[in-house]
Amino acid sequence: MRQTDREFVPAGSEDQWPVHVLDGAPALITYIDRQRRFRFANGTHQAWMGVDPRQMVGRLVDEVVDHRSLARAGACLDQALAGEPAVYEGELFSGATRTYMHGNFQPDFDENGHVRGVFTVFIDLTERHALETQLRESEQRFYGAFQHAPIGMAMVTTDGHMLRVNDALCQMLGYGEQELLSLTLPDLTHTDDLPASHELTEALKRGQQETYQLEKRYIHRDGHAVHVLLSVSLVRGTGGEPYHAVAQILDISQRKAYEEALFRERELAEVTLRSIGDAVITTDLQHRVTSLNPIAEAMTGWTHAEAVGKPMSEVFQLIDSHTRKPLHSPLMDAIRRDAIVELKGDAVLLHRNGFETPIEDSAASIHDHAGSVIGGVLVFHDVSETRALALKMAHLAQHDTLTGLPNRSLLQSRLEQVLAAALRRHDQAALLHIDIDHFKQVNDALGHAAGDALLRSFANCLRDALRNEDTVSRVGGDEFVVLLSRIDGRISASQLSEKLMCLWQASDASRLGDLTITFSVGISVYPDDARDAEAMLRNADIAMYEVKMQGRNGYRFYTPSMSERPAARLRIEQDLRKALRQGDLHLYYQPKVDARTGGIVGVEALLRWRVDGRDVYLPDEFIPVAEETGLIVPLGEWVLREACRQAGAWYRAGHPIVVAVNVAAPQFQHPGFHDALKAALDDAQLPPSLIELELTERMVMSAGDQSRALMQRIKALGVSLALDDFGTGYCSLSYLKYFPIDALKVDRTFVRDIATDIDNAAITDAIIAMAHSLDMSVVAEGVETPAQAEHLRRAGCSLLQGFLFGVALPPEELEQRLSAA
């Protein structure tokens, strides 16, 4: 637009060019005098702002300009009127129109240097500003995503220098941002990983690939290796040349640790599978073979490569040894029932080449991490005559020889299996701890033979009343545990307890002469009362003691309100502390005789708690409490000192016999045991060869090298060592050579039936022969009949101990026997 008082003159007229340029310029141009009135406004105002410049001239700025624009740019006008140039950049308004402008305010001075007015020039930057805003927002989004990414991020030059790094990378490698920017990625790379990393980087620079991914190791600032997954993408310039790269760095150290642990577990499993003495075959759900270990290869005639993928029925063929008919594989039942299944009957495995091997086996299902069955495993072994003795010993190690019931070791294993199955199936299980009331009265009044007969009858009663899937175990002298694998709450457990009591009371075995035999039952229920095997056993035991305290002959469920240690045990602990102070504990001595001559050559020191000639508590009652409470260490030290003192007195009286002292596991493992033993020997002025320490298999085996080292130090003192109750624990025969043992004590459970039980006799004979081959002497305990003694003599047993040769005596009475011999 042009002002109307000017005539349009063609562009060729020289004097009109300034007007034409001002009106057509792509800018808003004005002149404002000192009174803040517009003196000139070019025609662009009409095109850009919709404002007629003729209406602006002569009017005040405050009258023409939008108050919002004046509020923003008015200060620049004031500054220019004051003689200082000013620049404004921002939004200006004209009605509903909003425009982003860049404005210059230039003062106009007269010849005296006074401000006459102000030139203003505004350029429209709306589109450029929008693009700049978008670019700035994009950069902010990129920076936020880059800086706060949960994985390490870096912008890297083609030669490996880092232009930018984020917080995650700094934390991952232990450096500050500026420290990290001063390094290159090759500087941080593990030397073993540099060649592969360099090769991929060069391929990226040569344009052979745009991205690459690599697992490698960076070195943390503290020196340890950080396993990472590195992903690199190339960014090219406008000309296509490599500009820089973006690296994403994911810390996979934990994953690598898991992979390494899994690899070790697999290696261990494979080594174990290949080295065990049993044959193992695994299958999938379709009963196709997935693996065989070397023993299975030898027993079936199929190699692993040949068998994998074959039907199980083709590789593993069973027949009955009597009928010669094919037997059903237990593996199918195990997978179908999701349970452990043992092979029934006299099974014979047919080798691929035709010969036969009698076997025993068991099958179980295999589960994935979610508990779903994904296959099965079959474990079997040769049970031919050459291995019969070893299998018999293995059975005895897990079963009570008197009743034939599972012992504590096997119970523990089955309990853990039942709890694991109950967890998977969301079932309930129960544990009944049963103790025969006043059992000691039976032994005292009727003898041990009657007591043994009672225990066998009681075991049969329990066994007959239970389901096949339940377990009854003898865990102590008169203590039994019943494991119920599946129950419908507490009602089922209480109903079974009442049923057992009724059946027992109705049997003839519950009455012996004038005695009526009852029992007490403590019950713990999974998962209400406990969630692991140890807690189940402990809580059932606590509940049983509550029944004892309430008068016996009943049952009770465990409740959290029951004391952590039963009241009876607490009373024993308190009384035992007093007994230690008051001298109520005594040592009695049971003779050991030479098997050939019958002369007393040694004794076993046995602890008694007697007051006024009567037992306060039996050892089976107070020794476990002492072990629980830690009193076993001072109690054991007292026994050791007293036994050494008495042995020294006999030695000086002309009776140099060996005194055997039982050592409890907590006492043996106590750091001061060796010093306490040496001090007891020194104080008694006793030759060390006259003291023998009796250790249990579990005690010796549990600490391994530590036990061996301590035993060697004890042997260096001159003290001999005996392994007590041999054959009832889990000591491998091959380990006997590893420990410095002088003597083996054959447990009374083998001796009891040695004259009538062929298997027991064979095992005992084998133990004696093996001990002699290892240059060890053998002591048989529990010898009660001449027939037992005669068999042991013929077998080559060194020493005999038992009621046949005398009960445990006070030291004065034993000395009389020694003097009379």
Side-chain angles (χ1 to χ4, degrees):
M1 293 289 294
R2 297 184 301 274
Q3 291 175 274
T4 55
D5 57 344
R6 301 173 184 153
E7 294 182 4
F8 174 75
V9 178
S13 302
E14 294 296 332
D15 58 342
Q16 294 301 318
W17 274 112
V19 175
H20 177 68
V21 170
L22 285 173
D23 285 344
L28 302 179
I29 303 173
T30 66
Y31 185 89
I32 303 171
D33 64 15
R34 288 189 55 80
Q35 285 71 42
R36 298 171 64 90
R37 293 181 183 276
F38 285 106
R39 292 302 180 186
F40 173 80
N42 72 341
T44 307
H45 282 77
Q46 182 69 48
W48 284 12
M49 309 294 291
V51 178
D52 188 346
R54 290 174 300 178
Q55 297 177 0
M56 295 173 60
V57 174
R59 297 175 65 187
L60 293 172
V61 170
D62 293 15
E63 297 174 347
V64 175
V65 177
D66 188 291
H67 70 278
R68 292 170 295 174
S69 300
L70 194 62
R72 292 169 181 253
C76 294
L77 175 61
D78 295 340
Q79 181 177 330
L81 289 172
E84 291 290 332
V87 175
Y88 170 77
E89 186 167 309
E91 289 185 317
L92 294 181
F93 303 86
S94 178
T97 304
R98 176 182 298 187
T99 310
Y100 194 88
M101 293 285 192
H102 177 85
N104 280 285
F105 294 80
Q106 184 64 41
D108 178 30
F109 297 97
D110 61 16
E111 59 277 6
N112 297 319
H114 299 123
V115 176
R116 290 185 299 193
V118 175
F119 295 99
T120 70
V121 179
F122 282 86
I123 301 172
D124 188 348
L125 301 180
T126 302
E127 292 185 5
R128 193 193 78 181
H129 176 69
L131 292 173
E132 289 176 347
T133 299
Q134 291 177 2
L135 179 60
R136 187 162 51 253
E137 290 175 351
S138 175
E139 287 179 343
Q140 289 174 346
R141 285 194 297 271
F142 169 77
Y143 179 77
F146 179 93
Q147 192 65 25
H148 303 297
I151 64 172
M153 299 282 290
M155 292 178 59
V156 190
T157 65
T158 54
D159 60 357
H161 284 88
M162 288 175 280
L163 302 172
R164 178 180 287 181
V165 294
N166 70 346
D167 291 340
L169 184 60
C170 293
Q171 293 177 13
M172 186 189 305
L173 299 180
Y175 290 95
E177 182 178 357
Q178 293 306 313
E179 291 178 299
L180 206 53
L181 291 176
S182 67
L183 302 171
T184 67
L185 287 180
D187 294 337
L188 297 166
T189 299
H190 193 286
T191 53
D192 293 346
D193 297 339
L194 279 172
S197 183
H198 177 73
E199 182 179 344
L200 289 170
T201 301
E202 289 301 311
L204 204 69
K205 290 163 63 175
R206 290 194 298 268
Q208 294 173 331
Q209 56 191 88
E210 293 295 307
T211 64
Y212 72 80
Q213 196 171 70
L214 174 68
E215 285 191 12
K216 62 184 295 187
R217 288 163 294 177
Y218 287 130
I219 302 302
H220 191 275
R221 185 176 183 178
D222 65 12
H224 77 268
V226 180
H227 290 266
V228 302
L229 176 62
L230 173 66
S231 300
V232 178
S233 300
L234 188 64
V235 178
R236 295 187 178 276
T238 55
E241 73 283 357
Y243 183 52
H244 63 259
V246 176
Q248 299 180 61
I249 303 159
L250 177 64
D251 187 346
I252 59 171
S253 298
Q254 190 174 43
R255 192 196 81 190
K256 298 298 286 187
Y258 289 151
E259 290 175 354
E260 180 64 24
L262 180 60
F263 174 78
R264 288 196 300 270
E265 288 294 328
R266 285 177 175 171
E267 283 291 297
L268 177 61
E270 287 192 17
V271 169
T272 302
L273 199 59
R274 296 181 67 85
S275 61
I276 62 175
D278 286 345
V280 181
I281 301 178
T282 62
T283 72
D284 59 20
L285 283 175
Q286 287 70 44
H287 308 294
R288 293 188 297 261
V289 175
T290 54
S291 72
L292 291 86
N293 74 342
I295 302 297
E297 289 180 325
M299 293 183 68
T300 62
W302 289 81
T303 67
H304 179 275
E306 292 172 328
V308 170
K310 292 283 194 304
M312 182 66 172
S313 58
E314 184 177 345
V315 176
F316 186 76
Q317 298 183 38
L318 292 177
I319 63 171
D320 188 285
S321 62
H322 300 299
T323 66
R324 311 300 294 173
K325 292 181 179 180
L327 285 176
H328 179 67
S329 172
L331 186 61
M332 296 181 182
D333 292 336
I335 293 175
R336 178 174 54 82
R337 292 163 47 193
D338 187 16
I340 298 174
V341 178
E342 294 185 357
L343 183 64
K344 303 298 182 184
D346 296 320
V348 170
L349 173 65
L350 295 181
H351 190 276
R352 191 179 186 184
N353 295 333
F355 61 83
E356 302 175 356
T357 306
I359 67 165
E360 286 183 354
D361 75 357
S362 62
S365 52
I366 301 174
H367 303 86
D368 61 14
H369 67 280
S372 302
V373 177
I374 59 173
V377 57
L378 184 73
V379 181
F380 57 98
H381 48 258
D382 181 356
V383 291
S384 57
E385 186 175 354
T386 56
R387 299 184 61 190
L389 180 60
L391 290 174
K392 180 65 176 178
M393 290 186 69
H395 175 82
L396 289 173
Q398 292 189 316
H399 290 79
D400 172 47
T401 56
L402 177 64
T403 62
L405 296 177
N407 62 11
R408 184 181 291 273
S409 174
L410 184 54
L411 170 70
Q412 182 81 18
S413 175
R414 290 188 180 177
L415 177 56
E416 291 170 356
Q417 293 172 8
V418 166
L419 295 188
L423 177 63
R424 284 199 309 273
R425 302 185 183 115
H426 305 288
D427 284 339
Q428 287 183 302
L431 200 71
L432 281 60
H433 192 128
I434 302 174
D435 186 271
I436 299 176
D437 298 328
H438 303 300
F439 179 73
K440 182 177 181 296
Q441 292 181 5
V442 177
N443 280 337
D444 291 345
L446 304 175
H448 288 285
D452 289 348
L454 171 62
L455 293 173
R456 280 192 289 264
S457 298
F458 190 72
N460 291 333
C461 179
L462 294 179
R463 192 158 35 202
D464 293 343
L466 297 176
R467 305 167 299 182
N468 290 336
E469 61 264 32
D470 298 329
T471 298
V472 56
S473 168
R474 183 184 177 211
V475 296
D478 60 344
E479 294 181 70
F480 297 80
V481 169
V482 172
L483 171 59
L484 305 178
S485 57
R486 289 186 181 183
I487 61 167
D488 295 326
R490 294 175 178 258
I491 294 177
S492 295
S494 61
Q495 287 174 343
L496 177 64
S497 298
E498 292 170 0
K499 174 185 175 183
L500 290 175
M501 288 184 169
C502 290
L503 289 174
W504 176 246
Q505 289 166 6
S507 70
D508 294 335
S510 66
R511 289 172 293 279
L512 293 176
D514 296 333
L515 298 176
T516 298
I517 310 302
T518 61
F519 58 89
S520 302
V521 184
I523 308 172
S524 62
V525 177
Y526 173 89
D528 299 344
D529 300 331
R531 292 183 176 271
D532 60 71
E534 183 180 348
M536 287 285 287
L537 289 164
R538 181 179 64 248
N539 292 346
D541 182 51
I542 291 173
M544 185 273 292
Y545 268 91
E546 288 290 321
V547 179
K548 294 282 189 182
M549 297 301 296
Q550 297 299 322
R552 299 176 171 82
N553 191 24
Y555 66 89
R556 286 195 67 178
F557 286 92
Y558 170 80
T559 62
S561 62
M562 294 177 178
S563 59
E564 190 65 28
R565 187 182 306 136
R569 295 190 181 188
L570 181 60
R571 186 171 64 249
I572 291 174
E573 178 190 351
Q574 294 169 343
D575 291 347
L576 183 56
R577 294 183 185 276
K578 293 179 183 176
L580 275 169
R581 293 194 302 268
Q582 297 173 359
D584 292 336
L585 299 170
H586 311 277
L587 288 185
Y588 279 42
Y589 300 89
Q590 185 175 31
K592 293 181 183 179
V593 302
D594 186 293
R596 292 168 298 177
T597 66
I600 299 176
V601 293
V603 293
E604 180 179 359
L606 299 173
L607 185 59
R608 297 290 183 265
W609 185 351
R610 297 175 67 86
V611 175
D612 297 331
R614 298 181 60 187
D615 288 322
V616 180
Y617 294 103
L618 296 176
D620 287 347
E621 294 174 317
F622 68 83
I623 292 297
V625 175
E627 291 182 348
E628 274 186 27
T629 58
L631 287 173
I632 194 66
V633 174
L635 181 59
E637 288 185 5
W638 178 86
V639 169
L640 199 57
R641 288 196 307 271
E642 177 61 20
C644 288
R645 186 200 64 76
Q646 184 61 65
W650 285 332
Y651 169 69
R652 284 183 287 276
H655 306 299
I657 60 172
V658 177
V659 177
V661 180
N662 290 283
V663 179
Q667 179 190 4
F668 185 68
Q669 294 161 2
H670 191 272
F673 177 73
H674 181 271
D675 292 340
L677 172 61
K678 188 174 184 305
L681 291 169
D682 292 343
D683 292 346
Q685 298 180 356
L686 176 68
S689 59
L690 295 181
I691 284 292
E692 180 179 74
L693 301 184
E694 293 189 358
L695 314 175
T696 65
E697 293 180 20
R698 184 176 295 274
M699 182 195 313
V700 170
M701 295 289 290
S702 61
D705 291 340
Q706 184 178 351
S707 291
R708 183 169 182 259
L710 177 56
M711 291 166 71
Q712 288 172 335
R713 293 179 64 200
I714 293 171
K715 289 280 290 179
L717 292 175
V719 174
S720 58
L721 299 171
L723 201 58
D724 197 13
D725 299 338
F726 183 75
T728 63
Y730 59 88
C731 185
S732 168
L733 301 182
S734 62
Y735 272 83
L736 285 178
K737 295 186 294 184
Y738 182 72
F739 296 101
I741 301 294
D742 298 291
L744 297 182
K745 290 196 72 175
V746 180
D747 187 71
R748 67 181 66 249
T749 56
F750 293 106
V751 174
R752 179 174 50 233
D753 301 321
I754 197 171
T756 57
D757 188 314
I758 297 175
D759 290 333
N760 271 0
I763 292 171
T764 305
D765 293 351
I767 291 174
I768 294 171
M770 177 201 61
H772 288 167
S773 69
L774 296 175
D775 199 24
M776 297 178 186
S777 61
V778 180
V779 183
E781 59 183 356
V783 182
E784 299 182 0
T785 67
Q788 294 169 345
E790 181 58 30
H791 183 99
L792 291 165
R793 287 191 191 97
R794 289 199 308 268
C797 189
S798 312
L799 302 176
L800 304 177
Q801 177 183 350
F803 291 160
L804 182 62
F805 308 106
V807 297
L809 299 171
E812 301 82 11
E813 294 182 27
L814 183 67
E815 187 168 0
Q816 291 174 5
R817 284 193 59 179
L818 293 174
S819 300

PDB file of all heavy atoms in Angstrom, residues 776-797:
ATOM      1  N   MET A 776      42.950-102.570  61.558  1.00  0.00           N
ATOM      2  CA  MET A 776      42.146-102.006  62.639  1.00  0.00           C
ATOM      3  C   MET A 776      41.651-103.145  63.523  1.00  0.00           C
ATOM      4  O   MET A 776      41.411-104.257  63.049  1.00  0.00           O
ATOM      5  CB  MET A 776      40.928-101.256  62.091  1.00  0.00           C
ATOM      6  CG  MET A 776      41.242-100.053  61.232  1.00  0.00           C
ATOM      7  SD  MET A 776      39.703 -99.306  60.616  1.00  0.00           S
ATOM      8  CE  MET A 776      40.382 -98.054  59.528  1.00  0.00           C
ATOM      9  N   SER A 777      41.464-102.856  64.795  1.00  0.00           N
ATOM     10  CA  SER A 777      40.853-103.844  65.691  1.00  0.00           C
ATOM     11  C   SER A 777      39.340-103.655  65.647  1.00  0.00           C
ATOM     12  O   SER A 777      38.842-102.607  65.218  1.00  0.00           O
ATOM     13  CB  SER A 777      41.365-103.672  67.119  1.00  0.00           C
ATOM     14  OG  SER A 777      41.041-102.383  67.611  1.00  0.00           O
ATOM     15  N   VAL A 778      38.586-104.668  66.107  1.00  0.00           N
ATOM     16  CA  VAL A 778      37.126-104.635  66.060  1.00  0.00           C
ATOM     17  C   VAL A 778      36.573-104.912  67.443  1.00  0.00           C
ATOM     18  O   VAL A 778      36.977-105.879  68.099  1.00  0.00           O
ATOM     19  CB  VAL A 778      36.569-105.655  65.050  1.00  0.00           C
ATOM     20  CG1 VAL A 778      35.040-105.588  65.018  1.00  0.00           C
ATOM     21  CG2 VAL A 778      37.140-105.411  63.669  1.00  0.00           C
ATOM     22  N   VAL A 779      35.637-104.046  67.894  1.00  0.00           N
ATOM     23  CA  VAL A 779      34.949-104.234  69.161  1.00  0.00           C
ATOM     24  C   VAL A 779      33.476-104.478  68.847  1.00  0.00           C
ATOM     25  O   VAL A 779      32.859-103.697  68.121  1.00  0.00           O
ATOM     26  CB  VAL A 779      35.087-102.997  70.073  1.00  0.00           C
ATOM     27  CG1 VAL A 779      34.421-103.253  71.423  1.00  0.00           C
ATOM     28  CG2 VAL A 779      36.544-102.612  70.246  1.00  0.00           C
ATOM     29  N   ALA A 780      32.916-105.577  69.379  1.00  0.00           N
ATOM     30  CA  ALA A 780      31.487-105.862  69.204  1.00  0.00           C
ATOM     31  C   ALA A 780      30.778-105.513  70.498  1.00  0.00           C
ATOM     32  O   ALA A 780      31.132-106.004  71.560  1.00  0.00           O
ATOM     33  CB  ALA A 780      31.278-107.327  68.850  1.00  0.00           C
ATOM     34  N   GLU A 781      29.761-104.612  70.406  1.00  0.00           N
ATOM     35  CA  GLU A 781      29.021-104.246  71.603  1.00  0.00           C
ATOM     36  C   GLU A 781      27.659-104.931  71.598  1.00  0.00           C
ATOM     37  O   GLU A 781      27.173-105.385  70.553  1.00  0.00           O
ATOM     38  CB  GLU A 781      28.854-102.727  71.684  1.00  0.00           C
ATOM     39  CG  GLU A 781      28.129-102.102  70.515  1.00  0.00           C
ATOM     40  CD  GLU A 781      28.054-100.577  70.628  1.00  0.00           C
ATOM     41  OE1 GLU A 781      28.497-100.047  71.653  1.00  0.00           O
ATOM     42  OE2 GLU A 781      27.539 -99.950  69.688  1.00  0.00           O
ATOM     43  N   GLY A 782      27.039-105.018  72.769  1.00  0.00           N
ATOM     44  CA  GLY A 782      25.727-105.629  72.878  1.00  0.00           C
ATOM     45  C   GLY A 782      25.760-107.149  72.878  1.00  0.00           C
ATOM     46  O   GLY A 782      24.770-107.791  72.517  1.00  0.00           O
ATOM     47  N   VAL A 783      26.892-107.765  73.277  1.00  0.00           N
ATOM     48  CA  VAL A 783      26.994-109.226  73.315  1.00  0.00           C
ATOM     49  C   VAL A 783      26.280-109.718  74.576  1.00  0.00           C
ATOM     50  O   VAL A 783      26.680-109.381  75.699  1.00  0.00           O
ATOM     51  CB  VAL A 783      28.471-109.676  73.306  1.00  0.00           C
ATOM     52  CG1 VAL A 783      28.540-111.198  73.293  1.00  0.00           C
ATOM     53  CG2 VAL A 783      29.202-109.083  72.104  1.00  0.00           C
ATOM     54  N   GLU A 784      25.221-110.528  74.369  1.00  0.00           N
ATOM     55  CA  GLU A 784      24.408-110.960  75.507  1.00  0.00           C
ATOM     56  C   GLU A 784      24.302-112.477  75.640  1.00  0.00           C
ATOM     57  O   GLU A 784      23.832-112.974  76.663  1.00  0.00           O
ATOM     58  CB  GLU A 784      23.007-110.353  75.394  1.00  0.00           C
ATOM     59  CG  GLU A 784      23.011-108.817  75.417  1.00  0.00           C
ATOM     60  CD  GLU A 784      21.606-108.221  75.364  1.00  0.00           C
ATOM     61  OE1 GLU A 784      20.639-109.010  75.302  1.00  0.00           O
ATOM     62  OE2 GLU A 784      21.491-106.987  75.392  1.00  0.00           O
ATOM     63  N   THR A 785      24.706-113.229  74.609  1.00  0.00           N
ATOM     64  CA  THR A 785      24.577-114.694  74.688  1.00  0.00           C
ATOM     65  C   THR A 785      25.900-115.344  74.317  1.00  0.00           C
ATOM     66  O   THR A 785      26.696-114.792  73.552  1.00  0.00           O
ATOM     67  CB  THR A 785      23.487-115.194  73.723  1.00  0.00           C
ATOM     68  OG1 THR A 785      23.915-114.984  72.375  1.00  0.00           O
ATOM     69  CG2 THR A 785      22.169-114.466  73.952  1.00  0.00           C
ATOM     70  N   PRO A 786      26.137-116.556  74.815  1.00  0.00           N
ATOM     71  CA  PRO A 786      27.361-117.279  74.439  1.00  0.00           C
ATOM     72  C   PRO A 786      27.442-117.553  72.943  1.00  0.00           C
ATOM     73  O   PRO A 786      28.527-117.565  72.370  1.00  0.00           O
ATOM     74  CB  PRO A 786      27.257-118.583  75.257  1.00  0.00           C
ATOM     75  CG  PRO A 786      26.390-118.222  76.422  1.00  0.00           C
ATOM     76  CD  PRO A 786      25.390-117.235  75.900  1.00  0.00           C
ATOM     77  N   ALA A 787      26.272-117.793  72.311  1.00  0.00           N
ATOM     78  CA  ALA A 787      26.279-118.069  70.869  1.00  0.00           C
ATOM     79  C   ALA A 787      26.800-116.855  70.094  1.00  0.00           C
ATOM     80  O   ALA A 787      27.558-116.991  69.126  1.00  0.00           O
ATOM     81  CB  ALA A 787      24.875-118.445  70.401  1.00  0.00           C
ATOM     82  N   GLN A 788      26.370-115.670  70.511  1.00  0.00           N
ATOM     83  CA  GLN A 788      26.868-114.463  69.857  1.00  0.00           C
ATOM     84  C   GLN A 788      28.375-114.332  70.043  1.00  0.00           C
ATOM     85  O   GLN A 788      29.118-114.039  69.100  1.00  0.00           O
ATOM     86  CB  GLN A 788      26.164-113.226  70.439  1.00  0.00           C
ATOM     87  CG  GLN A 788      24.683-113.148  70.152  1.00  0.00           C
ATOM     88  CD  GLN A 788      23.993-112.055  70.959  1.00  0.00           C
ATOM     89  OE1 GLN A 788      24.551-111.534  71.938  1.00  0.00           O
ATOM     90  NE2 GLN A 788      22.767-111.723  70.564  1.00  0.00           N
ATOM     91  N   ALA A 789      28.838-114.540  71.272  1.00  0.00           N
ATOM     92  CA  ALA A 789      30.269-114.416  71.561  1.00  0.00           C
ATOM     93  C   ALA A 789      31.080-115.417  70.752  1.00  0.00           C
ATOM     94  O   ALA A 789      32.144-115.093  70.210  1.00  0.00           O
ATOM     95  CB  ALA A 789      30.512-114.600  73.057  1.00  0.00           C
ATOM     96  N   GLU A 790      30.579-116.658  70.636  1.00  0.00           N
ATOM     97  CA  GLU A 790      31.316-117.684  69.908  1.00  0.00           C
ATOM     98  C   GLU A 790      31.436-117.341  68.427  1.00  0.00           C
ATOM     99  O   GLU A 790      32.499-117.507  67.817  1.00  0.00           O
ATOM    100  CB  GLU A 790      30.616-119.037  70.090  1.00  0.00           C
ATOM    101  CG  GLU A 790      31.312-120.205  69.403  1.00  0.00           C
ATOM    102  CD  GLU A 790      32.752-120.375  69.872  1.00  0.00           C
ATOM    103  OE1 GLU A 790      33.056-120.036  71.043  1.00  0.00           O
ATOM    104  OE2 GLU A 790      33.584-120.842  69.060  1.00  0.00           O
ATOM    105  N   HIS A 791      30.343-116.880  67.852  1.00  0.00           N
ATOM    106  CA  HIS A 791      30.398-116.502  66.423  1.00  0.00           C
ATOM    107  C   HIS A 791      31.412-115.379  66.203  1.00  0.00           C
ATOM    108  O   HIS A 791      32.193-115.407  65.250  1.00  0.00           O
ATOM    109  CB  HIS A 791      29.011-116.051  65.936  1.00  0.00           C
ATOM    110  CG  HIS A 791      28.983-115.709  64.471  1.00  0.00           C
ATOM    111  ND1 HIS A 791      28.533-116.575  63.504  1.00  0.00           N
ATOM    112  CD2 HIS A 791      29.396-114.588  63.803  1.00  0.00           C
ATOM    113  CE1 HIS A 791      28.657-116.022  62.317  1.00  0.00           C
ATOM    114  NE2 HIS A 791      29.171-114.796  62.487  1.00  0.00           N
ATOM    115  N   LEU A 792      31.420-114.394  67.091  1.00  0.00           N
ATOM    116  CA  LEU A 792      32.334-113.249  66.949  1.00  0.00           C
ATOM    117  C   LEU A 792      33.786-113.685  67.116  1.00  0.00           C
ATOM    118  O   LEU A 792      34.684-113.175  66.446  1.00  0.00           O
ATOM    119  CB  LEU A 792      31.967-112.161  67.956  1.00  0.00           C
ATOM    120  CG  LEU A 792      30.624-111.455  67.676  1.00  0.00           C
ATOM    121  CD1 LEU A 792      30.159-110.671  68.893  1.00  0.00           C
ATOM    122  CD2 LEU A 792      30.761-110.522  66.467  1.00  0.00           C
ATOM    123  N   ARG A 793      34.028-114.614  68.040  1.00  0.00           N
ATOM    124  CA  ARG A 793      35.399-115.128  68.203  1.00  0.00           C
ATOM    125  C   ARG A 793      35.871-115.794  66.914  1.00  0.00           C
ATOM    126  O   ARG A 793      36.983-115.570  66.448  1.00  0.00           O
ATOM    127  CB  ARG A 793      35.454-116.127  69.364  1.00  0.00           C
ATOM    128  CG  ARG A 793      35.344-115.518  70.747  1.00  0.00           C
ATOM    129  CD  ARG A 793      35.682-116.535  71.827  1.00  0.00           C
ATOM    130  NE  ARG A 793      35.323-116.031  73.140  1.00  0.00           N
ATOM    131  CZ  ARG A 793      34.173-116.329  73.763  1.00  0.00           C
ATOM    132  NH1 ARG A 793      33.293-117.138  73.180  1.00  0.00           N
ATOM    133  NH2 ARG A 793      33.914-115.823  74.960  1.00  0.00           N
ATOM    134  N   ARG A 794      35.006-116.659  66.351  1.00  0.00           N
ATOM    135  CA  ARG A 794      35.385-117.364  65.125  1.00  0.00           C
ATOM    136  C   ARG A 794      35.626-116.389  63.967  1.00  0.00           C
ATOM    137  O   ARG A 794      36.480-116.628  63.122  1.00  0.00           O
ATOM    138  CB  ARG A 794      34.293-118.370  64.741  1.00  0.00           C
ATOM    139  CG  ARG A 794      34.210-119.589  65.660  1.00  0.00           C
ATOM    140  CD  ARG A 794      33.458-120.736  64.964  1.00  0.00           C
ATOM    141  NE  ARG A 794      32.170-120.290  64.437  1.00  0.00           N
ATOM    142  CZ  ARG A 794      31.020-120.352  65.097  1.00  0.00           C
ATOM    143  NH1 ARG A 794      31.012-120.854  66.333  1.00  0.00           N
ATOM    144  NH2 ARG A 794      29.903-119.951  64.548  1.00  0.00           N
ATOM    145  N   ALA A 795      34.866-115.310  63.953  1.00  0.00           N
ATOM    146  CA  ALA A 795      35.018-114.329  62.869  1.00  0.00           C
ATOM    147  C   ALA A 795      36.273-113.484  63.031  1.00  0.00           C
ATOM    148  O   ALA A 795      36.646-112.754  62.114  1.00  0.00           O
ATOM    149  CB  ALA A 795      33.791-113.429  62.810  1.00  0.00           C
ATOM    150  N   GLY A 796      36.922-113.552  64.188  1.00  0.00           N
ATOM    151  CA  GLY A 796      38.154-112.803  64.401  1.00  0.00           C
ATOM    152  C   GLY A 796      37.982-111.480  65.108  1.00  0.00           C
ATOM    153  O   GLY A 796      38.861-110.611  65.031  1.00  0.00           O
ATOM    154  N   CYS A 797      36.844-111.297  65.817  1.00  0.00           N
ATOM    155  CA  CYS A 797      36.610-110.043  66.545  1.00  0.00           C
ATOM    156  C   CYS A 797      37.626-109.924  67.682  1.00  0.00           C
ATOM    157  O   CYS A 797      37.931-110.898  68.376  1.00  0.00           O
ATOM    158  CB  CYS A 797      35.186-110.037  67.093  1.00  0.00           C
ATOM    159  SG  CYS A 797      34.700-108.450  67.770  1.00  0.00           S
TER     160      CYS A 797
END
